[in-house]
Amino acid sequence: KSNLFVAGGSNIGQLGQGDLVSRSSPVQVSSRTSWSYMAGSEITTGIKSDGTLWACGSNVRGQLGQNDLISRSTMTQIGGDTNWSKVEANDQFTVATKSTGTLWAWGNNWAGQVGDSSLTSKLSPVSVVGGFTDWCQVSAGNYFTIGVRTNGTLWAWGNNASGQLGILDTSSFQTSPISVPGGFTDWCQVSAGMCRTTLAVRSNGTLWGWGINAWGEVGDGTIVDKSSPVSVVGGFTDWCQVTTGHMHSGAVRTNGTVWMWGSNSYGKLGTNSTVSVSSPVSVVGGFTDWCQVAAGYNHTVAIRTNGTVWAWGRSSYGELGNNCTLATSSPVSVVGGFTDWCQVSTNVATIALRVS
C-alpha cells in the first residue's frame, strides 16, 4: 500500500483536505491507499492502484478534467477510465499516459501545450495528436510539454519563447508534438521546468539542457539562453534522474550524490549559502544515498535510500514539512520520523508517498 501525504500551501485546496489551510508538516490525503502521484503548480493529481485518476485544487482552466471550471478541495475522480499509468500537471494544464501508451492532456492550452493541434483550452482529457502508442514519460512545464517515447526519441510542443522546445524557432507556438533535434534515440528521462527550462538524461548517463538560462539553470556554465540541447558541464556520465524547478535545477548521480544549479534564492540549492551558480554543485551534508530529488517553486525536496525525506529552501507555507516556516539553505529532515518515503514531488506544496 502507498499512502499519499501533503504539506505546504493550500490557497486553492490543492492539499486535498477539504479546506484552504496550509500545513507545515505532512498530512494524509484521504484514507485511500496505493497511490502513485504527481503535483502540479495549483493542483494535486494521483493515480490509484486500480488505474483511476484523481485530482484536487484549482480548476480555472479545466485542469481537473471535470468538464467544468469548479475548483475542488478534495480528491475527485477524472472520468471513469481505469488504465491511467502516469500523470503530471503544471501551469493550469495536466498531461497523463495510459497503459496503452497513448498520451492525453487537458486544461489551459493558450500556447498549444495540450498538443491537440489547437489553442483552445480543454475541460476534459483529449488525445495528443500523432497517433503514437509508445509514450513512456512526459513532463509538463511552463506552458509547454516534453515527452519521451520508448524508441528513445524526444518530442516537444507548446510555448517556445526561450527555446525550451529545443528548436531554433522561438517566434511561434507548436500545437502538436515535434521531434527535438539532435538525432539522439537514447533519451530516457526529461524534466520540463516551471520557468521555461528543459533538462534531459540520455541512457549513456550524460545530461543535457536548453531553454531559458538567466540564472544558469541550464547548467552549462553560462547565463545565455539555449534553443537546442547543450551538455551540462562537469563531464559526469552517471546522471540518473533530473528535476527542474523555478529558475533552479537538480539531478542525482548513480553514486548517490545530489547536485544543484541555477538561482539560489532562499537557499534552495542546498549549498549552505544563497549564491547562485551556473554549473552543478554538490548539496551539503555528505550523504551518498540520495535516490530522488524534486525542485519546487523556491525549495527542493529529496529522498534517501533509507526512506527518509529531506527539504531545503523557502518554507513560507510550510512546504519543507519540518513544522516550521523559516527558510534553510541546507537539508533538514521532514518531521514524523518515518523511514518509508518512496516518492516525492513539489511546487508550492510538497507531495510524497509512503509505503505503509
Side-chain angles (χ1 to χ4, degrees):
K1 299 187 298 182
S2 298
N3 293 312
L4 183 58
F5 286 76
V6 293
S10 189
N11 60 308
I12 319 172
Q14 59 264 51
L15 295 189
Q17 301 299 305
D19 56 39
L20 306 182
V21 179
S22 299
R23 266 80 171 180
S24 61
S25 57
V27 292
Q28 189 172 352
V29 178
S30 76
S31 59
R32 303 181 190 279
T33 57
S34 298
W35 291 97
S36 63
Y37 72 95
M38 185 57 64
S41 58
E42 296 178 335
I43 72 171
T44 294
T45 58
I47 299 173
K48 290 178 61 181
S49 58
D50 60 5
T52 55
L53 179 60
W54 301 68
C56 66
S58 173
N59 198 32
V60 295
R61 292 293 183 271
Q63 60 265 46
L64 295 187
Q66 299 297 321
N67 205 33
D68 60 36
L69 298 175
I70 302 171
S71 298
R72 275 103 170 153
S73 60
T74 57
M75 295 293 269
T76 305
Q77 186 174 349
I78 299 175
D81 291 338
T82 58
N83 60 346
W84 296 104
S85 57
K86 295 178 183 178
V87 62
E88 188 168 330
N90 205 341
D91 288 312
Q92 302 175 348
F93 78 106
T94 306
V95 291
T97 56
K98 290 185 176 181
S99 58
T100 57
T102 56
L103 182 59
W104 301 72
W106 55 99
N108 192 339
N109 195 31
W110 78 272
Q113 64 266 34
V114 165
D116 69 333
S117 295
S118 81
L119 295 175
T120 305
S121 296
K122 301 298 185 294
L123 302 183
S124 57
V126 296
S127 180
V128 172
V129 300
F132 302 128
T133 57
D134 60 351
W135 295 104
C136 57
Q137 194 243 329
V138 65
S139 185
N142 182 251
Y143 304 112
F144 72 106
T145 308
I146 308 285
V148 184
R149 294 172 53 198
T150 56
N151 63 5
T153 57
L154 192 62
W155 299 72
W157 56 100
N159 183 21
N160 193 42
S162 300
Q164 62 267 41
L165 301 188
I167 60 175
L168 295 177
D169 181 11
T170 59
S171 62
S172 62
F173 302 144
Q174 298 292 329
T175 61
S176 59
I178 57 172
S179 181
V180 173
F184 301 128
T185 57
D186 61 349
W187 297 106
C188 56
Q189 195 240 331
V190 65
S191 180
M194 302 174 196
C195 201
R196 303 198 300 272
T197 304
T198 303
L199 291 170
V201 181
R202 292 172 55 197
S203 59
N204 62 5
T206 58
L207 180 57
W208 301 71
W210 57 98
I212 200 167
N213 196 29
W215 291 93
E217 53 265 63
V218 166
D220 70 331
T222 78
I223 53 172
V224 179
D225 293 354
K226 302 297 186 297
S227 57
S228 58
V230 295
S231 181
V232 171
V233 300
F236 302 126
T237 57
D238 61 349
W239 299 106
C240 56
Q241 187 253 326
V242 67
T243 181
T244 47
H246 181 69
M247 301 183 297
H248 73 302
S249 306
V252 182
R253 293 173 55 197
T254 57
N255 64 4
T257 56
V258 168
W259 299 68
M260 305 288 298
W261 56 98
S263 170
N264 199 17
S265 57
Y266 302 96
K268 60 187 175 183
L269 298 188
T271 58
N272 204 29
S273 78
T274 55
V275 178
S276 301
V277 295
S278 59
S279 58
V281 292
S282 182
V283 169
V284 300
F287 301 127
T288 58
D289 60 350
W290 298 107
C291 54
Q292 192 215 343
V293 62
Y297 188 76
N298 272 313
H299 73 297
T300 306
V301 186
I303 299 178
R304 294 171 55 197
T305 56
N306 63 5
T308 59
V309 62
W310 300 67
W312 53 94
R314 190 182 74 172
S315 193
S316 301
Y317 300 100
E319 55 264 48
L320 298 189
N322 66 337
N323 205 29
C324 177
T325 55
L326 298 177
T328 178
S329 59
S330 57
V332 294
S333 181
V334 170
V335 300
F338 303 122
T339 58
D340 56 357
W341 298 104
C342 59
Q343 191 179 5
V344 67
S345 179
T346 186
N347 194 290
V348 174
T350 295
I351 317 296
L353 282 181
R354 287 180 52 209
V355 184
S356 60

